[in-house]
Amino acid sequence: MASLTGPWLVLLVAMGCTLLAAARSNSGNPSAGFEKVVLADGDFQVQSPYNVPESQRFQYRNGVRTFWVHRNDKPFNTATHTNPRSEVKLRGHDYSSGVWQFEGYGYVPEGTSGASVMQIHNQEGAAHSTVLMLHVYDGVMRFYSGAEVEPDIYNRWFRLNVVHDVRASTVAVYVDGKHKFGTSVTPSESYYFKFGVYMQHHDQSSCMESRWTNVTLYTKH
């Protein structure tokens, strides 16, 4: 078998280094290959209990959005019987095709339990409200109330990336750049992203809180 010497060896080594560098640059970066979506301040629509001023359940300061609700709070309007929430709906960026990604840096203080902190919501009036919700129970982030996504979520900033492939009907969750969960989901007509705190139906704490910064959307078609 002929040996590789001279220019061929140099070329192969250079190609190998290039591929290794590319792999390293994409490692821990789920948004590689996606296009960033421009978000305006008005795209962050706050939903909070209707019976108290928004400022008593939501704060935006120094680039950090802080959300909190109490277990006995009212819904976000008088027309719904849903549980208390203090959330942002990312409006104006509903989607029905392609691959979309939510990225944000989140923080859940110790004691928060029984709350959704991020969700992919279906269009209004859909048979199912969501295709993904990330709940926190006693310091563990879960897919709804089931599979564990990330343990020991309390009292630390984490980078959350959630990728939704509409055509494949799949979602994938990354925490701090590492793939932590993936599953197939039931398709719907259109979708949008939400984040904050939304009380769930069991193991709720008396007060639920999450904080978010550098929230970004990405897409590719």
Side-chain angles (χ1 to χ4, degrees), residues 168-216:
S169 293
T170 60
V171 293
V173 181
Y174 298 79
V175 178
D176 295 328
K178 297 180 180 179
H179 182 267
K180 291 302 185 82
F181 178 79
T183 190
S184 298
V185 296
T186 302
S188 194
E189 293 181 9
S190 64
Y191 314 87
Y192 57 87
F193 295 102
K194 302 185 78 175
F195 64 98
V197 282
Y198 175 30
M199 190 180 83
Q200 296 306 300
H201 301 288
H202 62 89
D203 297 315
Q204 311 101 331
S205 51
S206 59
C207 181
M208 291 145 273
E209 179 182 336
S210 75
R211 307 166 195 169
W212 292 88
T213 189
N214 294 331
V215 169
T216 308

Side-chain angles (χ1 to χ4, degrees), residues 17-29:
C17 291
T18 300
L19 291 172
L20 180 60
R24 286 177 174 172
S25 67
N26 291 336
S27 177
N29 183 15

Side-chain angles (χ1 to χ4, degrees), residues 13-205:
V13 170
M15 290 175 62
C17 291
T18 300
L19 291 172
L20 180 60
R24 286 177 174 172
S25 67
N26 291 336
S27 177
N29 183 15
S31 62
F34 283 75
E35 179 182 353
K36 186 175 182 179
V37 176
V38 176
L39 297 177
D41 288 344
D43 297 340
F44 293 78
Q45 179 186 10
V46 177
Q47 298 176 339
S48 61
Y50 70 79
N51 62 319
V52 295
E54 180 182 292
S55 61
Q56 293 185 17
R57 296 295 183 269
F58 170 75
Q59 175 182 280
Y60 184 33
R61 182 178 298 171
N62 298 325
V64 177
R65 291 177 169 86
T66 301
F67 308 84
W68 66 98
V69 290
H70 298 289
R71 189 164 48 200
N72 59 353
D73 277 342
K74 299 294 186 181
F76 73 99
N77 65 39
T78 58
T80 181
H81 299 289
T82 55
N83 284 346
R85 73 185 73 203
S86 176
E87 290 184 303
V88 155
K89 172 185 177 181
L90 287 172
R91 62 182 172 188
H93 300 284
D94 295 23
Y95 60 95
S96 57
S97 63
V99 184
W100 284 73
Q101 181 172 174
F102 170 95
E103 179 180 83
Y105 290 78
Y107 183 99
V108 180
E110 185 172 357
T112 290
S113 185
S116 168
V117 295
M118 186 270 167
Q119 54 180 305
I120 301 176
H121 207 286
N122 294 334
Q123 80 279 4
E124 303 303 327
H128 301 282
S129 296
T130 61
V131 294
L132 174 139
M133 297 182 81
L134 296 177
H135 296 181
V136 171
Y137 297 103
D138 298 322
V140 179
M141 179 183 286
R142 297 186 178 276
F143 178 66
Y144 293 94
S145 299
E148 179 180 293
V149 175
E150 179 72 3
D152 303 321
I153 204 71
Y154 284 155
N155 298 339
R156 65 181 181 91
W157 285 99
F158 55 90
R159 177 162 60 104
L160 179 69
N161 293 76
V162 178
V163 181
H164 182 198
D165 187 325
V166 174
R167 183 175 182 180
S169 293
T170 60
V171 293
V173 181
Y174 298 79
V175 178
D176 295 328
K178 297 180 180 179
H179 182 267
K180 291 302 185 82
F181 178 79
T183 190
S184 298
V185 296
T186 302
S188 194
E189 293 181 9
S190 64
Y191 314 87
Y192 57 87
F193 295 102
K194 302 185 78 175
F195 64 98
V197 282
Y198 175 30
M199 190 180 83
Q200 296 306 300
H201 301 288
H202 62 89
D203 297 315
Q204 311 101 331
S205 51

